[in-house]
Amino acid sequence: MKDWLLAAAFTAWGSPFTWLEILAFALSVAMVLGNMRQWLAAWPLAAAASLLYALLFWEGKLYGEAALQLFFVGMAAWGFAQWWRGRSQSALTVRRMPLQAWGWSLGAIALGWPLLGWWLSRHTDSPLPYWDALPTVASVVATVQLGRKFIENWGFWVAVNAVSVVLFALKAYWLTVLLYAAFIPLALWGWREWAHAERGVRAA
């Protein structure tokens, strides 16, 4: 199964596009669209896409991104529970981040990025330790924000996706480059949708 997933489906721009990357791409697009609409199904899709990307990134020696994908699998269960409980109890609605959440979000990135980059540079053969570390740490923060339905998670995802486009281009994961480039306008769209939903909650 692994050999089939890692086999090239086709070649373009001088690089192979594996079945693994194609499947992960399709599931990721479905996941983002589900997040925009606040569908519970988005979290299982996130788990499936993350498992596939974990294998792809491990094979490419992007260990921070690979570990991040495994974290996403666990966070998918947490996020599903958060949204399910919020839906059933009408307790979790789209809202803006309080000052405290801004503090821990920015603080976690400021501290976590150099620490993880240093660890990857010292203890792995990652060719891009600090490029790998930044979207890894910021994605953890944005995922927690998403699970708590903070509107600002979409802004964090815009920044994460922009950095990821550069990272994956350096590794010649061109389909994933296209995916993360597409994630930027999708995140802006999601931001707009959630802002509209938040205004509806306040009006009610």
Side-chain angles (χ1 to χ4, degrees), residues 132-156:
D132 192 2
L134 177 55
T136 298
V137 172
S139 293
V140 171
V141 170
T143 302
V144 174
Q145 294 170 348
L146 176 65
R148 297 303 300 160
K149 288 196 175 180
F150 290 135
I151 293 174
E152 291 83 0
N153 87 87
W154 295 106
F156 278 74

Side-chain angles (χ1 to χ4, degrees), residues 40-130:
L40 282 172
W43 292 104
L45 289 169
S50 294
L51 285 172
L52 294 175
Y53 267 122
L55 177 58
L56 179 70
F57 295 148
W58 185 266
E59 290 293 321
K61 297 183 179 180
L62 294 177
Y63 302 114
E65 286 289 331
L68 174 64
Q69 300 307 312
L70 296 180
F71 168 82
F72 280 163
V73 174
M75 288 300 291
W78 175 79
F80 184 92
Q82 291 285 305
W83 284 23
W84 177 265
R85 186 160 53 246
R87 185 182 71 167
S88 62
Q89 299 175 357
S90 300
L92 187 64
T93 58
V94 173
R95 58 234 169 97
R96 297 192 178 277
M97 282 204 304
L99 186 60
Q100 182 181 18
W102 274 106
W104 71 252
S105 295
L106 297 176
I109 294 171
L111 292 173
W113 172 27
L115 286 174
L116 180 58
W118 173 84
W119 190 89
L120 290 171
S121 69
R122 290 290 300 272
H123 300 288
T124 75
D125 58 349
S126 173
L128 302 163
Y130 288 93

